[in-house]
Amino acid sequence: MQRGVEIGRFITFEGGEGSGKSTQAGILANRLSRAGRPVFATREPGGSPAAEEIREALLSGQVKQFGPLAEAVMFSVARADHIDHAIKDSLQEGRWVVCDRFIDSTRAYQGVTAGVPRGVINALEELTVGALSPDLTFILDISAEEGLARAKERADGDELDRFESQELVMHERVRRAFLDIAEEEPGRVVVVDASQPEAMVAEDVWETVLHRLNP
Ligand code: TYD
């Protein structure tokens, strides 16, 4: 995030299905609020009215027929709107933005897993995000078996959405992709062991925020 006067902090959560990242994003948002920090808790795809409409199209599988490049573009279009109509203003108002998924999901799912070339992903990122990179990104790391088992439990018999019905092999590839991002960008990205009990994961997250961002 480009620094200026009264600028907030930008934290993102990433991880595969069943990693508990949405829960942890919620816990951190509450904790920051209790510490007296103004928070904007949000998610992708979505987070702004127009981007939420694109979310519907993406998660229902409507965009899938056009292939991974189209999906990468649509996730990016949604992201650009989310940034322009929600994230930027929040940061300028001095809020702590806590976002469930962001650029690393596009890199991992559309890039590494679906094979959209890295150059294309980088160009889309440059166009949509530019200098507004997160200050801190948590990758909630869990084995494919455990993550998928949790995701299925959560679905409770309902049909899993298109992404969650992917196989174990896919989960393992996504996991690897996230871990590679963490290795590439240690200054921004922190890996948390998501197989621990929820409270311990939350503690690791909070300690890291205290240490890195001093709320
Ligand atoms: P969602 O129902 O929000 O589930 P989750 O709890 O896993 O975040 O679904 C979001 C899905 O969209 C998820 O499977 C990952 C996928 N996704 C991408 O493929 N690329 C992206 O850029 C983003 C933001 C999400």
Side-chain angles (χ1 to χ4, degrees), residues 100-156:
D100 184 351
R101 293 197 184 280
F102 197 61
I103 44 172
D104 302 301
S105 284
T106 309
R107 290 189 197 176
Y109 288 92
Q110 282 66 53
V112 177
T113 315
V116 175
R118 179 75 189 245
V120 174
I121 298 288
N122 288 349
L124 288 170
E125 221 174 86
E126 184 58 39
L127 275 171
T128 54
V129 177
L132 200 134
S133 176
D135 295 299
L136 178 59
T137 295
F138 288 103
I139 288 185
L140 297 202
D141 183 49
I142 193 157
S143 75
E145 288 82 3
E146 217 175 320
L148 202 65
R150 282 195 196 174
K152 284 194 167 144
E153 215 171 278
R154 196 185 56 197
D156 199 23

Side-chain angles (χ1 to χ4, degrees), residues 14-18 21-22 43-46 55 58-59 71-72 75-76 79 100-110 154 161-164 166:
E14 303 275 5
E17 266 64 57
K21 72 187 161 41
S22 308
R43 67 166 182 190
E44 289 207 344
R55 177 187 175 91
L58 283 162
L59 297 193
E71 287 190 299
F75 276 111
S76 302
R79 180 161 303 130
D100 184 351
R101 293 197 184 280
F102 197 61
I103 44 172
D104 302 301
S105 284
T106 309
R107 290 189 197 176
Y109 288 92
Q110 282 66 53
R154 196 185 56 197
D161 70 36
R162 190 180 83 72
F163 289 97
E164 286 181 342
Q166 288 167 343

